[in-house]
Amino acid sequence: SALFEEAGDIIAALDSLDEFKPQALSNIIWAYTTAGESHQNLLKKVAGHIDGLDSLDEFNPQDISNIVWAYATSKESHPQLFKKLANYIISLNNSAVCFQPSLGP
């Protein structure tokens, strides 16, 4: 829809996504995918932003689950993003904090 296209264009054109909290990034990507809207520039911008972060410690399991689901469902290929998220999840499982994603109903 025009609303998704315009909003995606605005976000993708921003110099930085540093002002967006992890939940906002997760919700944006989830909303586009859930609505069946594709915006490659937005998906690329968010993936690049997350991949460029020094740490994913501010992301909670729900944020990470939504991001992984959205990118996988949208069939957008962002191998660096998936590698970064996978390494982060592995590091959590190797630490005192255990990441336990929901398996759904």
Side-chain angles (χ1 to χ4, degrees), residues 27-89:
N27 288 350
I28 290 166
I29 296 304
W30 178 87
Y32 273 78
T33 303
T34 300
E37 295 288 335
S38 178
H39 196 294
Q40 289 181 337
N41 290 337
L42 174 64
L43 291 170
K44 184 177 179 180
K45 177 81 171 200
V46 173
H49 172 76
I50 295 169
D51 185 45
L53 294 173
D54 291 332
S55 168
L56 297 180
D57 289 342
E58 291 186 29
F59 287 77
N60 68 38
Q62 186 68 54
D63 298 332
I64 292 172
S65 296
N66 286 351
I67 291 166
V68 170
W69 175 85
Y71 279 93
T73 301
S74 68
K75 296 181 173 67
E76 290 292 330
S77 178
H78 292 281
Q80 285 304 115
L81 172 66
F82 277 87
K83 183 177 180 180
K84 181 163 189 136
L85 292 171
N87 287 337
Y88 179 68
I89 292 166

Side-chain angles (χ1 to χ4, degrees), residues 1 9 22 25 30-31 39 42 48 52 82 89-91 97:
S1 81
D9 289 345
L25 294 171
W30 178 87
H39 196 294
L42 174 64
F82 277 87
I89 292 166
I90 290 167
S91 76
V97 178

